[in-house]
């Protein structure tokens, strides 16, 4: 189905202005889709949370970075990323060090164990994404991802 035809279908299904049905609201639908994805994630990667995985994956991409910068890169506030990093450090997956010039700045990096773990998990994460998106055709996935990116 073309994007144009998909948009025509959606426009044809728009509710009347005064109707409000929770199951038709964006937040409700996004939450259900998120719950489905998290359930699929947990079935395949039981020993990490999605935020912990995100931190490891981003560190794998960018290498050593400040804790605050990591939070920005993975869309987490400072308090949340600190908790994630603390738990990963306790498991030996990341290490912390002080910045050479700015001693207040904490740097985060993968340990060898963390690097091995994320390299083992990335192919599984790709499978999780495919399973999450399985109800959609390839064209629908492209449209869906483009539309979601506009909301993010």
């Amino acid at each position: 189905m073309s994007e144009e035809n998909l948009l025509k279908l959606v426009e044809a299904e728009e509710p009347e202005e005064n109707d409000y049905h929770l199951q038709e609201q964006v937040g409700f639908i996004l939450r259900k889709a998120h719950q489905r994805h998290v359930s699929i994630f947990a079935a395949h990667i039981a020993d990490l949370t999605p935020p912990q995985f995100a931190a490891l994956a981003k560190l794998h991409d960018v290498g050593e970075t400040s804790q605050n910068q990591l939070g920005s890169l993975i869309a987490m506030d400072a308090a949340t990323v600190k908790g994630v990093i603390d738990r990963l450090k306790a498991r030996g997956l990341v290490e912390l060090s002080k910045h050479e010039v700015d001693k207040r700045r904490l740097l985060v990096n993968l340990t060898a164990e963390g690097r091995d773990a994320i390299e083992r998990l990335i192919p599984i994460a790709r499978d999780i994404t495919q399973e999450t998106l399985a109800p959609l055709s390839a064209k629908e996935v492209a449209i869906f991802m483009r539309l979601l990116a506009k909301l993010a």
Side-chain angles (χ1 to χ4, degrees):
M1 177 178 289
S2 73
E3 185 173 356
E4 183 178 309
N5 288 341
L6 184 61
L7 290 174
K8 284 180 185 176
L9 178 65
V10 170
E11 288 170 2
E13 295 177 358
E14 285 184 15
E16 289 186 32
E17 194 173 309
N18 294 328
D19 285 352
Y20 185 94
H21 301 287
L22 179 65
Q23 67 275 12
E24 297 169 354
Q25 303 309 307
V26 66
F28 182 78
I29 295 168
L30 285 172
R31 186 170 58 82
K32 286 183 64 175
H34 181 258
Q35 288 172 336
R36 179 175 178 274
H37 174 71
V38 169
S39 175
I40 292 167
F41 183 96
H44 294 280
I45 301 176
D47 60 338
L48 289 174
T49 65
Q52 290 169 343
F53 175 84
L56 293 176
K58 187 49 73 174
L59 285 169
H60 186 261
D61 287 347
V62 302
E64 183 177 65
T65 189
S66 75
Q67 185 169 294
N68 285 341
Q69 178 65 19
L70 179 62
S72 294
L73 292 170
I74 59 176
M76 276 184 217
D77 61 70
T80 302
V81 78
K82 181 186 181 328
V84 167
I85 295 304
D86 288 348
R87 286 184 286 284
L88 292 172
K89 182 178 183 264
R91 294 181 56 188
L93 299 175
V94 300
E95 57 192 1
L96 297 174
S97 61
K98 298 254 186 214
H99 190 273
E100 288 182 20
V101 176
D102 183 353
K103 299 298 181 191
R104 298 168 298 167
R105 196 168 166 198
L106 277 179
L107 299 176
V108 186
N109 204 359
L110 293 172
T111 62
E113 184 179 349
R115 186 168 315 288
D116 290 346
I118 196 62
E119 288 174 358
R120 178 179 49 79
L121 292 172
I122 286 172
I124 297 168
R126 285 189 188 103
D127 293 343
I128 291 167
T129 295
Q130 287 181 341
E131 187 174 339
T132 298
L133 297 171
L136 305 176
S137 70
K139 193 170 234 178
E140 288 170 332
V141 167
I143 293 168
F144 177 68
M145 294 302 290
R146 194 165 54 246
L147 293 173
L148 274 180
K150 282 182 148 183
L151 295 176

